[in-house]
Amino acid sequence: MTKLLKYLVASYCWLTPGWFLSGMVNEGKLWVLLLGSLLLGLPFFLSRLYISTVDKTFVVHQYRRGGLLRAIRGSRLLSTPFWLVISLASGACMLFWLHTLSRAEWILLCLCVPLYAWIHARVFAAVRSQYREYRAFAQGLGWSQWVFSIIASIGWVLILVYLFPHHEAPLLSEVMTEKHKVLLSADQSVLTQILDRYSAYYRAVADMGLEILQSGTPGGFVIAAIVITFVAIASFTVAISAFLIPVKEYRRIFSPLSEASDIPVVGFERSSTVGGFAVLGLLFIYPALGIQLEASVAEKIRMSEVNRFELVVKPRLERFEGHFFRQGTREKLQKLAAETLAKQGVGIELLETQMDAGYRLMSSNVDAYLDTYYSLPAEYMRLGAMLSNSLERKLSQDLTKALNRGEPFKHFERTLSKLSERNADLQAKYQQASQQLMAENQVAVPQGDFWQVEELSMEDLVTPADEIQHINGRMRGAAAGVGAVSAMVATKVVTKALAKGTLKLAAKAVAKGAVSKAGAGGASAAAGAVIGSVIPGAGTLVGAIIGAGVGLVVGVTVDYALLEVEEELTRDEFKQQILQSIDVARIEHRKQLGLE
């Protein structure tokens, strides 16, 4: 009973600081990892070294003293550092395993301590009659570790399945995707952060296996859950088995190999040597090697030699719309946007040249329009339009048609169509590339208060326009038809001419001319009547016809003369007003192209 009590006290005293250190894993301190690995791995090391020592004792006594084979098989020069490395690795894994345990699992773990003592007692009772005394305890220890690990891992899984149901366990792929977004901070231990990530993978596999087993559809994850549970419990079992080894049996580790049942007390010289090496290793070599390993792993990650991890030297992040991204994401997006804008800008010079050429051709059409405007047929058409109250519409239609003659912007329109198609394709590629870039740089929500988060808005980014604004929306919508741009620009010029009152003045001039023409027409008719009456031999009807003809000739002559006078007085001003409207439209068009 006394031995069992000592075993329980020692086991729980060892487990208590393990529980405390496992709760500090999230702090990411290297000393927590080093101390936890040493504390949890030391019993593992002593247990395995003891069993190895007993096995070597049995083997070497099969050879003659002084023989080479006896010296080789009995040497502990390689086995000791081997089990030391394995025990430290096991201690580190055990630390993170304890970190993932729930409260229910901690209770099960504490119950495993006395249960293992009971199984070891049964196994030891079975094997002690089969082996010599010095070897029976070691064999019982090794066999009980296996038996208990198998029984405990299966029981562990079944208890968690039926007593502690698991619902909606995350998929391993989901956990790996989320953990991949977690950046490694240089302000924390890189080794600690990496082991923490793999412990999350372990937890995901275990939870998936438990959930699948609970659903009644066993699969590969069930086996995986039992196997990884077995590995964890086996390491724990080896460690607590060290507290069952009597103190006198530990003398075998530090003494020459002997089959004697009682090993004498270790001498002063050997004990002082072992103590000196232990202090040297624990206080100097072990911390130095841990720091060196930490620096080496961090450097490899920093140099991108380990692609699964990314180390952030300066713990800074960027935040867009509630999501966190690696530092520099904004610069990458701005660079991508600038590259897209640069590609969209290709062809603008050609578009500008064709636009200027279109306005020059439109300006050259003004003289042809004025030649037609100051002609008698056009004058009489305007008078007819005035009678139907559609004079301004008639003037607008004539000017629009004249300015659009020759489709001044047909080359501009073709180039615009090609650039719009290309820019729409560039815009789609930009959207796809920007979404991919943000997905690649998105990280998990940072843990800890040492992260510096820069709040940004998507509006701060320079994003390419849906298409370059060559012309206004109404013109873009009409640009599907042939000559649509020329027609729209001409309409815009006429609209500006109307706004300036240019065509209204022309309409008033037509009205005034009509009054003067009425007076001139009356005079010419009177003159025709007088001439018709004095022609000898002509009857009244013939005289009227002759008089009307003469009056028509005189009226047309007078109209022509008046129109010539009007052209002389108003043409230059009328032309300048139309050209000014064209120039205003050109300036606005250039602004829409971003050329002003």
Side-chain angles (χ1 to χ4, degrees):
M1 188 64 181
T2 304
K3 292 182 179 180
L4 177 60
L5 182 61
K6 290 181 179 179
Y7 160 75
L8 293 176
V9 171
S11 298
Y12 289 129
C13 287
W14 165 77
L15 198 56
T16 300
W19 169 80
F20 178 75
L21 290 174
S22 67
M24 300 176 62
V25 166
N26 287 333
E27 297 181 9
K29 303 300 183 182
L30 181 60
W31 72 266
V32 174
L33 175 61
L34 295 179
L35 181 59
S37 300
L38 180 63
L39 177 67
L40 297 175
L42 184 58
F44 184 100
F45 172 69
L46 294 175
S47 176
R48 293 310 306 173
L49 189 59
Y50 168 75
I51 295 175
S52 174
T53 301
V54 173
D55 289 341
K56 285 183 176 294
T57 301
F58 173 75
V59 170
V60 297
H61 282 83
Q62 311 303 313
Y63 303 97
R64 292 182 178 275
R65 291 182 179 274
L68 180 61
L69 291 178
R70 183 186 177 101
I72 295 176
R73 297 297 300 274
S75 174
R76 285 173 279 184
L77 188 61
L78 297 179
S79 61
T80 300
F82 171 77
W83 285 116
L84 180 60
V85 172
I86 296 298
S87 65
L88 291 175
S90 174
C93 294
M94 201 180 308
L95 175 68
F96 285 89
W97 178 60
L98 296 177
H99 173 66
T100 65
L101 296 182
S102 63
R103 180 177 299 179
E105 289 171 322
W106 268 102
I107 294 174
L108 289 178
L109 190 66
C110 292
L111 293 177
C112 286
V113 175
L115 181 60
Y116 172 70
W118 182 82
I119 289 181
H120 172 264
R122 305 285 81 76
V123 173
F124 178 62
V127 302
R128 68 185 307 174
S129 61
Q130 306 297 323
Y131 292 92
R132 296 171 60 183
E133 186 175 354
Y134 83 95
R135 195 159 180 247
F137 187 84
Q139 288 296 110
L141 202 65
W143 286 18
S144 64
Q145 291 171 1
W146 279 98
V147 172
F148 176 78
S149 298
I150 294 173
I151 295 175
S153 59
I154 296 175
W156 184 286
V157 171
L158 293 178
I159 291 174
L160 291 179
V161 167
Y162 294 107
L163 296 184
F164 303 97
H166 286 65
H167 299 287
E168 297 181 358
L171 297 175
L172 177 61
S173 58
E174 295 176 352
V175 175
M176 294 182 71
T177 300
E178 289 301 316
K179 285 296 181 179
H180 183 69
K181 296 179 180 179
V182 177
L183 303 179
L184 304 183
S185 171
D187 284 7
Q188 294 181 313
S189 167
V190 175
L191 288 174
T192 302
Q193 294 174 83
I194 291 175
L195 289 175
D196 183 47
R197 179 175 300 186
Y198 281 108
S199 67
Y201 298 161
Y202 158 82
R203 185 77 257 180
V205 174
D207 289 343
M208 286 179 63
L210 294 174
E211 182 183 6
I212 293 172
L213 185 59
Q214 185 180 1
S215 64
T217 55
F221 274 104
V222 177
I223 299 175
I226 295 177
V227 170
I228 62 177
T229 302
F230 170 81
V231 172
I233 292 181
S235 297
F236 174 77
T237 303
V238 172
I240 60 175
S241 68
F243 302 114
L244 284 175
I245 303 175
V247 176
K248 66 177 183 178
E249 284 294 306
Y250 274 120
R251 298 173 187 170
R252 296 185 183 275
I253 298 176
F254 308 106
S255 303
L257 300 179
S258 173
E259 292 183 311
S261 299
D262 294 325
I263 303 297
V265 177
V266 180
F268 174 79
E269 181 180 356
R270 183 176 291 271
S271 60
S272 60
T273 302
V274 172
F277 277 110
V279 171
L280 180 65
L282 293 177
L283 298 183
F284 298 97
I285 299 177
Y286 176 61
L289 290 177
I291 294 173
Q292 179 62 34
L293 180 60
E294 166 81 11
S296 177
V297 173
E299 183 63 23
K300 286 184 178 296
I301 294 176
R302 189 179 291 111
M303 298 300 293
S304 301
E305 294 181 18
V306 182
N307 297 326
R308 287 190 294 270
F309 305 98
E310 182 175 348
L311 178 63
V312 177
V313 179
K314 296 182 179 180
R316 296 177 182 174
L317 294 176
E318 296 174 357
R319 183 177 181 179
F320 301 106
E321 309 298 334
H323 299 286
F324 294 89
F325 300 88
R326 294 179 177 87
Q327 184 183 15
T329 302
R330 178 180 60 175
E331 294 181 2
K332 293 178 181 178
L333 286 173
Q334 289 177 333
K335 182 180 179 181
L336 179 62
E339 292 174 352
T340 305
L341 282 173
K343 293 177 182 178
Q344 286 184 330
V346 175
I348 294 296
E349 293 182 357
L350 176 60
L351 205 62
E352 178 185 7
T353 302
Q354 292 174 343
M355 181 192 69
D356 292 339
Y359 279 104
R360 284 195 299 270
L361 180 57
M362 181 172 284
S363 298
S364 68
N365 287 337
V366 174
D367 284 326
Y369 166 73
L370 293 176
D371 290 341
T372 303
Y373 179 86
Y374 290 106
S375 64
L376 281 177
E379 180 74 1
Y380 292 138
M381 293 293 291
R382 289 193 291 273
L383 289 173
M386 186 174 65
L387 292 175
S388 62
N389 295 320
S390 59
L391 178 57
E392 287 191 13
R393 184 169 69 250
K394 172 63 176 174
L395 291 174
S396 298
Q397 291 174 350
D398 289 346
L399 181 56
T400 301
K401 182 178 180 180
L403 293 178
N404 198 32
R405 185 178 295 115
E407 296 183 16
F409 294 94
K410 61 182 178 181
H411 298 299
F412 172 88
E413 183 179 352
R414 291 170 186 166
T415 304
L416 172 62
S417 178
K418 293 179 181 178
L419 290 180
S420 297
E421 292 178 1
R422 184 202 64 187
N423 291 341
D425 181 61
L426 288 173
Q427 179 70 12
K429 291 180 178 178
Y430 167 78
Q431 293 293 341
Q432 182 179 0
S434 61
Q435 291 176 2
Q436 182 179 355
L437 189 150
M438 295 183 71
E440 292 174 349
N441 286 273
Q442 186 175 0
V443 299
V445 178
Q447 302 295 325
D449 56 0
F450 53 84
W451 291 96
Q452 299 178 20
V453 180
E454 183 179 3
E455 294 284 349
L456 300 172
S457 172
M458 295 301 293
E459 297 177 356
D460 296 335
L461 300 176
V462 180
T463 56
D466 292 338
E467 58 177 330
I468 299 177
Q469 302 298 318
H470 304 295
I471 47 181
N472 61 33
R474 188 158 51 88
M475 291 183 180
R476 272 204 317 275
V482 178
V485 175
S486 299
M488 291 297 100
V489 173
T491 302
K492 192 172 185 179
V493 171
V494 173
T495 302
K496 293 188 176 298
L498 282 170
K500 292 181 63 177
T502 302
L503 296 184
K504 291 183 181 293
L505 292 175
K508 289 181 180 179
V510 173
K512 290 180 180 179
V515 174
S516 63
K517 287 177 176 61
S524 61
V530 171
I531 293 173
S533 65
V534 300
I535 295 177
T540 303
L541 179 60
V542 175
I545 293 174
I546 293 174
V550 173
L552 180 61
V553 172
V554 173
V556 170
T557 303
V558 171
D559 285 347
Y560 179 77
L562 291 174
L563 191 60
E564 286 289 322
V565 173
E566 181 185 355
E567 181 178 7
E568 185 68 26
L569 294 176
T570 62
R571 176 168 178 142
D572 289 342
E573 182 181 359
F574 193 17
K575 178 180 179 180
Q576 289 303 317
Q577 289 178 345
I578 296 174
L579 291 178
Q580 287 177 2
S581 297
I582 293 175
D583 192 55
V584 171
R586 184 183 66 83
I587 292 174
E588 290 185 0
H589 204 165
R590 289 179 62 85
K591 287 181 179 179
Q592 291 169 346
L593 277 171
L595 302 174
E596 292 290 344

